[in-house]
Amino acid sequence: MMKVEAIVRSEKFEAVKRALEERGFTGMTVYEVRGRGEESGIELEYRGHVIRVDLLPRVKIEVYVEDDRVGEVVEAIMEAAWTGQPGDGRIFVLPVLEAYRIRTRERINSTGPGGSGGPGGRGS
Amino acid sequence: MMKVEAIVRSEKFEAVKRALEERGFTGMTVYEVRGRGEESGIELEYRGHVIRVDLLPRVKIEVYVEDDRVGEVVEAIMEAAWTGQPGDGRIFVLPVLEAYRIRTRERINSTGPGGSGGPGGRGS
Amino acid sequence: MMKVEAIVRSEKFEAVKRALEERGFTGMTVYEVRGRGEESGIELEYRGHVIRVDLLPRVKIEVYVEDDRVGEVVEAIMEAAWTGQPGDGRIFVLPVLEAYRIRTRERINSTGPGGSGGPGGRGS
Amino acid sequence: MGELDGAATAWILAATSMVVLMTFGVAFFYGGLVRRKNVASMIALSLISLFIVSIQWAVIGFSLSFAPSMGGVVGGLDYVLLRGIGMEPLEGTSIPGVLYAAFQMAFAAITLAILTSPFAERAKLTGFIAFGLLWTTLVYDPVAHWVWGGGGLHSIVEGLTGATPIDFAGGLVVHTASGFSALAVALVIGPRLGFEESHIPPHSIPLTMIGGALLWFGWFGFNAGSALAADGLAGNALLVTHLAASAGAASWALASWSHGRPGSLGMISGAVAGLVAITPAAGFVGPMDSLVIGALAGLASYKALAWRLDRGLDESLDAWAIHGVSGVLGSILTGVFAREDIGGVPGLLEGNPSLLAAQVVDAVIIIVYSLAVTLAIARLVDGLIGLRVTPTEEYVGIDISQHGEEAYR
Amino acid sequence: MGELDGAATAWILAATSMVVLMTFGVAFFYGGLVRRKNVASMIALSLISLFIVSIQWAVIGFSLSFAPSMGGVVGGLDYVLLRGIGMEPLEGTSIPGVLYAAFQMAFAAITLAILTSPFAERAKLTGFIAFGLLWTTLVYDPVAHWVWGGGGLHSIVEGLTGATPIDFAGGLVVHTASGFSALAVALVIGPRLGFEESHIPPHSIPLTMIGGALLWFGWFGFNAGSALAADGLAGNALLVTHLAASAGAASWALASWSHGRPGSLGMISGAVAGLVAITPAAGFVGPMDSLVIGALAGLASYKALAWRLDRGLDESLDAWAIHGVSGVLGSILTGVFAREDIGGVPGLLEGNPSLLAAQVVDAVIIIVYSLAVTLAIARLVDGLIGLRVTPTEEYVGIDISQHGEEAYR
Amino acid sequence: MGELDGAATAWILAATSMVVLMTFGVAFFYGGLVRRKNVASMIALSLISLFIVSIQWAVIGFSLSFAPSMGGVVGGLDYVLLRGIGMEPLEGTSIPGVLYAAFQMAFAAITLAILTSPFAERAKLTGFIAFGLLWTTLVYDPVAHWVWGGGGLHSIVEGLTGATPIDFAGGLVVHTASGFSALAVALVIGPRLGFEESHIPPHSIPLTMIGGALLWFGWFGFNAGSALAADGLAGNALLVTHLAASAGAASWALASWSHGRPGSLGMISGAVAGLVAITPAAGFVGPMDSLVIGALAGLASYKALAWRLDRGLDESLDAWAIHGVSGVLGSILTGVFAREDIGGVPGLLEGNPSLLAAQVVDAVIIIVYSLAVTLAIARLVDGLIGLRVTPTEEYVGIDISQHGEEAYR
Ligand SMILES: Nc1ncnc2c1ncn2[C@@H]1O[C@H](COP(=O)(O)OP(=O)(O)O)[C@@H](O)[C@H]1O
Ligand SMILES: Nc1ncnc2c1ncn2[C@@H]1O[C@H](COP(=O)(O)OP(=O)(O)O)[C@@H](O)[C@H]1O
Ligand SMILES: Nc1ncnc2c1ncn2[C@@H]1O[C@H](COP(=O)(O)OP(=O)(O)O)[C@@H](O)[C@H]1O
């Protein structure tokens, strides 16, 4: 199992959610963050002064997903969140060692990190 | 060292905190998120229409813990957060490569990811 | 590529941001969390009662960075966030398997987790 | 008809506006005390109280309360649709009839708003509206009639005790009736999900404080307006109202201090308790009396709140502990402290025990009536329509489930 | 000069204060409806309206509106810098001249505040200030002069229809003018970035409700204050104002209920629609009329809002749908419901069709004038200074880009 | 005893309510400016000021301020416990004695609330209460006595300058006294932890704006109420109050614009500076004067704020820069602009330099007295009880450490 972390524009969040839904990924956890990329924010010129607005609101979406479907999730997000302008965001994939569903108290990941099999057994 | 990420019901947070405390896990970082699982939210029927409330408030709890105590943390959360209803949440375990305590400027993890030993030495 | 997660005092955040900037790390994602460390919070004495304020506001900073620059990031944060008092915070380093920039739709990590090379190829 | 007094009219124009604003005060006071998922709903319940009661009042409520009595039980239908209420003063008053009707309308509206407390975070919208219309018609209007409209209650009480009970601005009509009715509703509607397990904390103290500020401000219109004149009695009512609020805030703060820390919510709750308790007394007692009344009210409501929490009773926002308990207390203390040179009626301290007796009997009758009729209405509506949303809707929050809204983004 | 009436003065002192507070009501009402990155800006636009219009008013606006007419088009310069306005009443009034000027000033200020709606989340500060000063001078002041200042419009309309149009408290001057001007601005300034793609949700319903509360409260000063006396007419205005608000809230709630859930924002919007519609009528119609007027206004504004959303028109906070549409509707319905025994003028229902005709013609003239002149001003300012920030600034938010502030931490 | 004037009473009933609301205005104004961990505390400090000063006032404060003088220094004990204050007017007034006491009480309360500024985010609750009671008794009450209560200061100043100093609504008593006392407290209590290192930003601009709205509104009661009548002078006070606020907002906006962006906080701060400066002048100057006074106040307070920031002085919420500085400025400008035809006293511009001299001397005396006595009280309380929480408590926040509350969830 892996964890996909995507940082996207707030106004693109609905589109991303829909894109994931369409491909059958309903599970997700989201929260609001502030961030900036390599351009180090936006510059506003103002009567000679320049002010740099460096941390802009973004939404962070986390999706835990089986290894073999990571590519689909990344693609869905990438397409839906794209505008082509600076600030579109990033997607990162992290390894997950174990996963549990609290309601059923079962372990739910079939594999360990990196798709290479791993310490976890199939829970359900 | 590993990182345990648990997404639980907001109203269960106090119970989870207590359960962790009781077992000696005082360190934690928490924040509010919104999420949904596989059921893709809750449906409300309303005069013929159905509206789907898909992102419900949850609390995300993060606990960084030595490899050999991960099981205890998972179990404590699992028990305290459980109601048996959809929406109880998930727990994920991620590997941590290095860990530092800022106050003492020391490295604090004894092992690398996945309990397999690793690049980090014991800091204190 | 790796992910550096730092939990620091809210009032130190500006200093940390500056320290990272100075070393050329502009990219970051931040959000507000509440947390406590091993001391399990702060005790306030009050007319005989003691109340324990256990979750204090902190800022969590996430920086995704190439493996070979992790040390620099950790050091920058460590120095800027330090006060020597309990509550200074922690830094953790997690492995990242894949990374993408949405705007250019390219994969941006040169290596997999732990600096050991990995499944990802260089994107740009 | 009376003769129009311009100064009185000027003041009651302002006072009526202030009392209308109080209903929003309740909205924000209560709104801050619930969780963020229910704040729009909590505010909406007060807003709905304001507009449905106002319409009911124009159609029939004013008539049921203030028209010539049908057998002492309720007002007749003479003023239905505000017929005959015009720009001239009604008999015995010196402000325009339309303004008198408007002033009284604002009282009726806020009374239902106070009663939204036990509906907090679980009200089914249709159920609340049905309940509210029935309650205003069957509880508020008759009680207002008995106390202020020339209804028969007072002659009964007078027969029993030898004194006419007094209620300057609605300690019984507004606060006792709504407070005890809240208790009845709480019993029928049941506690919120999760109430037993963990404390449900307020989501915004500043919002509650904004509500408290509007209440304190508006209460001057409420009490000093009840003089229906711009004279010394109105001035006295204003001063004692403010002092009782201050003393209530202080005594609640001290009471909670002895058990822990004095919270800002406690202080504002104590102030409201003081305001409630001085309401029946404002035209009958003096400044020093009002300090005592306010201080006692702060203590009494503090204890009542602690008691209902101990009992596990989810009368969620304490209409009972604050409005009910301090309303009764204030009515009784009016019987103790009333001064002949202020309101023309001597109380116990001036050697007139029968007023105290009248006050007690009056309060008991109104408590019993409110509890009984409200229980019946709540049960009826709960059976027919439902007072409460489903557990899933409650879990998601009333804002989304009943109003389709999210309060904050 | 008239003789000073103390009671009238007492009431108008309070009423003026209340109308000033309404401008803050607009600030918070609008502020809650925008995204958090623009809330300080949205509040600031109303605050700026308040202080620039007030200064303009003292310098020249009062004179352009109320000084003896220059050819019926606009007031002369007799009262420039408030020359000659003192503590004695002006001809035909019974309150101090300074107070009259202050009361009218508050009306001028809130009118521009209402018109900040289409500037929401994209206003360039310099552009707005230039626009605001021009608009107040070229639209508000002449229109106020025509309707209230003895200007020539009314004699023209009277010539056409045989009746003098009536506008008790500014249904046309304040609400229609600002509402239709908002439409014109929206056409020039264009929709917000992202408006077409996704719904832009309000960031704080409680803040909007606080604004709504202050509006409802202040409106009593607005309408009942327009009687310029503390008498039966003022009382009537207060009562019908409240009832129309209630009916508007109820009818909007019902209308939205039939399509989904009745939101708290809908209820308060309906209340404002009712308040707008009763504004021209408040001194001419009775309580039952006001229930009808308010209910129709709630429906009309609800439909208008739906229509402009369908059309993809980003008149962002609905000054047009609420103030414009219900302002016109109320003016017309005044022609229908006016009662001779209340305001001295019979309407259609009392067999006087010419009043209705006069009301319609008056409304049409003011709509056309407002649209045309506002379009011209907006285009001019847009060309010279710019009404709108750059896309980058809009993306970052107006609070940071125009004010250098973050509203919340 | 004077004769009761109904119209004056009607207006002062409303005005007193408005001034009480202002204390909540200060609460929200200040509350928005602190960090979220201290907002409940900041609001509570104003609320505590309101209720402890009100009780003190009823017990002894009114007597110390307004009873027949003890040697010109302070009022005697004739009115202790409000003895002898009844429903009839006091000598020389035409409103009920109880209402006069209530109106003045509201002034005393808000003065201490203004002075909570340097306690922000670090006040120890017990220390603040002790300080507040001492300060009101030893600073406010005597100063009020000197200026308004027939105390001896004015005859001394008159002896020195040949003119009696004037203070219409409390530019010196309320604003100068509290503002300079805030400076003294700031010196004793010391800066907040972290103040030197980084800017401490406000957590909610909307909350501060709500406070500002209530202040602006209430100030009409404050200034126009100080006429103690519903007449032309009250009307003049209302108009000049509004214009000064407008000009202050405008001038602060322009001043900050020349250095960066004009923030909404700057505009509302400028408005408050204008309101402060017109307070002593409101019954003595005309509308055009008030524009000048307001504009100068906006500039002066802007500069004063910048100066205290440069000096690293943590007088946290700028009671000194806004109330202190503009209070003195306004008092002095009253000596410049006073017009005989408005308030009966000519100023410098009408050829009377001695009034200006009297105003300056009066201000200096009150500044020196406030600074000296407040320093002594603050040191005393700091030594005996402590004015400030421990660093740990400060770090955690005053809401939790002093009140056991969290403001938001
Ligand atoms: N190195 C990084 N570490 C952490 N977060 C980052 C990093 N780079 C980008 N982000 C996050 O991604 C968001 C979008 O990045 P940005 O650089 O603006 O987009 P782009 O991909 O166009 O360069 C940022 O606001 C920030 O939250
Ligand atoms: N695949 C997933 N990716 C990210 N977060 C998830 C995922 N599945 C569940 N969650 C998080 O866990 C929470 C609870 O999940 P839910 O499905 O409602 O519980 P259950 O375990 O009963 O199915 C969700 O609100 C969401 O925040
Ligand atoms: N074991 C842990 N798991 C998760 N978060 C932790 C853990 N330990 C500390 N933290 C986070 O780091 C913050 C600072 O920790 P703290 O213990 O106060 O500092 P110190 O390093 O001085 O012990 C906490 O508020 C919490 O958010």
Side-chain angles (χ1 to χ4, degrees), chain A residues 48-110:
Chain A
H49 313 68
V50 170
I51 67 161
R52 185 182 302 281
V53 180
D54 47 13
L55 294 170
L56 293 170
R58 293 279 180 272
V59 168
K60 188 164 170 199
I61 305 171
E62 302 185 343
V63 182
Y64 301 92
V65 60
E66 291 303 318
D67 300 9
D68 52 356
R69 303 201 64 187
V70 167
E72 281 177 77
V73 169
V74 169
E75 205 172 299
I77 297 173
M78 192 108 81
E79 243 160 66
W82 186 85
T83 68
Q85 302 292 317
D88 274 356
R90 313 276 170 117
I91 306 173
F92 302 96
V93 181
L94 280 76
V96 173
L97 300 174
E98 305 170 20
Y100 304 85
R101 172 180 287 125
I102 295 174
R103 174 168 48 86
T104 55
R105 295 169 189 254
E106 66 189 349
R107 184 148 176 194
I108 51 176
N109 59 320
S110 50

Side-chain angles (χ1 to χ4, degrees), chain F residues 87-338:
Chain F
M87 296 196 266
E88 306 76 37
L90 294 172
E91 192 60 44
T93 72
S94 57
I95 61 171
V98 279
L99 183 57
Y100 183 73
F103 185 62
Q104 292 295 347
M105 172 170 66
F107 280 61
I110 192 180
T111 306
L112 182 58
I114 293 168
L115 178 42
T116 61
S117 159
F119 290 92
E121 314 201 90
R122 53 206 190 278
K124 184 168 173 177
L125 199 51
T126 46
F128 173 75
I129 293 172
F131 172 87
L133 287 171
L134 285 171
W135 189 86
T136 294
T137 308
L138 300 179
V139 180
Y140 185 84
D141 293 345
V143 171
H145 182 70
W146 301 340
V147 178
W148 292 328
L153 178 65
H154 280 187
S155 39
I156 295 174
V157 177
E158 210 181 325
L160 290 170
T161 65
T164 313
I166 51 182
D167 183 0
F168 190 69
L172 292 177
V173 181
V174 173
H175 299 290
T176 303
S178 64
F180 280 84
S181 294
L183 199 62
V185 171
L187 294 173
V188 176
I189 202 170
R192 289 168 287 178
L193 292 183
F195 171 74
E196 277 97 355
E197 288 147 44
S198 67
H199 174 60
I200 298 176
H203 90 283
S204 174
I205 289 181
L207 186 58
T208 291
M209 287 295 178
I210 289 170
L214 298 184
L215 284 174
W216 192 315
F217 171 69
W219 225 294
F220 295 127
F222 199 95
N223 284 3
S226 290
L228 293 176
D231 60 3
L233 192 64
N236 185 75
L238 188 145
L239 177 62
V240 299
T241 297
H242 185 80
L243 288 176
S246 299
S251 77
W252 188 306
L254 289 174
S256 59
W257 214 332
S258 69
H259 292 92
R261 287 165 164 77
S264 61
L265 287 180
M267 294 176 199
I268 197 72
S269 301
V272 174
L275 290 164
V276 167
I278 200 66
T279 296
F284 301 106
V285 306
M288 291 304 122
D289 309 325
S290 73
L291 286 175
V292 178
I293 292 173
L296 291 175
L299 288 180
S301 287
Y302 175 80
K303 291 283 177 206
L305 194 158
W307 181 85
R308 77 115 182 123
L309 278 175
D310 272 2
R311 297 285 306 247
L313 211 56
D314 192 15
E315 201 284 273
S316 314
L317 310 176
D318 289 298
W320 173 74
I322 296 177
H323 297 269
V325 170
S326 282
V328 171
L329 180 74
S331 296
I332 292 172
L333 293 177
T334 303
V336 174
F337 289 107

Side-chain angles (χ1 to χ4, degrees), chain A residues 7-8 33-39 56 58 85-90 92, chain C residues 26-30 62-65 101-104:
Chain A
I7 301 147
V8 304
V33 300
R34 301 197 300 162
R36 65 177 182 197
E38 271 135 35
E39 323 76 356
L56 293 170
R58 293 279 180 272
Q85 302 292 317
D88 274 356
R90 313 276 170 117
F92 302 96
Chain C
T26 54
M28 66 176 66
T29 299
V30 304
E62 302 184 342
V63 181
Y64 301 91
V65 60
R101 172 180 288 124
I102 294 175
R103 175 169 47 87
T104 54

Side-chain angles (χ1 to χ4, degrees), chain E residues 4-7 9-10 12-14 16-18 20-21 24 28 39-41 43-44 47-48 50-52 54-55 58-59 81-82 85 87 96 98-99 101-102 105 109 125-126 129 203 207 210 214 217 393 399-409, chain F residues 6-8 10-11 14 18 21 36 199 201-206 209-214 216-217 220-221 224 229-236 238-239 242-243 245-247 249-250 253 257 261-268 271 287-288 291 341-343:
Chain E
L4 195 131
D5 174 345
T9 302
I12 303 304
L13 286 164
T16 303
S17 310
M18 291 162 76
V20 170
L21 188 58
F24 287 98
F28 305 135
V39 57
S41 146
I43 294 173
L47 179 55
I48 292 168
L50 184 61
F51 69 74
I52 65 173
S54 298
I55 296 171
V59 173
L81 302 179
L82 299 178
I85 306 301
M87 296 196 265
V98 279
L99 183 57
M105 173 172 66
L125 199 51
T126 46
I129 293 172
H203 90 282
L207 186 58
I210 289 170
L214 298 185
F217 171 69
E393 290 171 328
D399 287 3
I400 284 179
S401 74
Q402 297 296 292
H403 300 283
E405 292 180 319
E406 270 186 278
Y408 300 103
R409 292 266 182 168
Chain F
W11 166 231
M18 292 162 75
L21 188 58
R36 30 182 70 227
H199 174 60
H203 90 283
S204 174
I205 289 181
M209 287 295 178
I210 289 170
L214 298 184
W216 192 315
F217 171 69
F220 295 127
D231 60 3
L233 192 64
N236 185 75
L238 188 145
L239 177 62
H242 185 80
L243 288 176
S246 299
W257 214 332
R261 287 165 164 77
S264 61
L265 287 180
M267 294 176 199
I268 197 72
M288 291 304 122
L291 286 175
D341 62 348
I342 289 175

Side-chain angles (χ1 to χ4, degrees), chain D residues 23-24 27 40-56 108-114 116 123-133 136 398 402-403 405, chain E residues 209 216 242 245-247 249-250 253-254 257 262-268 271:
Chain D
T23 297
F24 286 98
S41 147
M42 204 66 230
I43 294 173
L45 289 180
S46 280
L47 179 55
I48 292 169
S49 299
L50 184 61
F51 69 75
I52 65 173
V53 171
S54 297
I55 296 172
Q56 185 269 3
I110 192 180
T111 307
L112 183 57
I114 293 167
T116 60
K124 184 168 171 177
L125 197 52
T126 46
F128 172 74
I129 293 173
F131 172 87
L133 287 171
T136 295
I398 311 298
Q402 298 296 294
H403 300 283
E405 293 180 319
Chain E
M209 287 295 179
W216 194 314
H242 185 79
S246 299
L254 288 174
W257 214 332
S264 62
L265 287 180
M267 294 175 200
I268 198 71

Side-chain angles (χ1 to χ4, degrees), chain D residues 6-7 9-10 13-14 17 24 28 48 51 54 58 81 87 96 98 105 125-126 400-409, chain E residues 7 18 36 202-206 209-210 213 217 220 230 232-233 236 238 242 246 249 261-265 267 288 342:
Chain D
T9 302
L13 286 164
S17 309
F24 286 98
F28 305 135
I48 292 169
F51 69 75
S54 297
L81 302 177
M87 295 196 268
V98 279
M105 173 170 67
L125 197 52
T126 46
I400 284 180
S401 74
Q402 298 296 294
H403 300 283
E405 293 180 319
E406 272 186 276
Y408 302 102
R409 293 266 182 170
Chain E
M18 291 162 76
R36 31 181 70 226
H203 90 282
S204 174
I205 289 182
M209 287 295 179
I210 289 170
F217 171 69
F220 295 127
L233 193 63
N236 185 75
L238 187 145
H242 185 79
S246 299
R261 288 167 163 75
S264 62
L265 287 180
M267 294 175 200
M288 291 304 124
I342 290 175

Side-chain angles (χ1 to χ4, degrees), chain A residues 26-30 62-65 100-104, chain B residues 7-9 33-39 56 58 85-90 92:
Chain A
T26 54
M28 65 177 65
T29 299
V30 304
E62 302 185 343
V63 182
Y64 301 92
V65 60
Y100 304 85
R101 172 180 287 125
I102 295 174
R103 174 168 48 86
T104 55
Chain B
I7 302 147
V8 304
R9 295 175 186 282
V33 300
R34 299 197 302 161
R36 67 178 180 195
E38 271 135 34
E39 324 76 357
L56 294 171
R58 293 278 180 273
Q85 301 293 316
D88 274 356
R90 313 276 170 118
F92 302 96

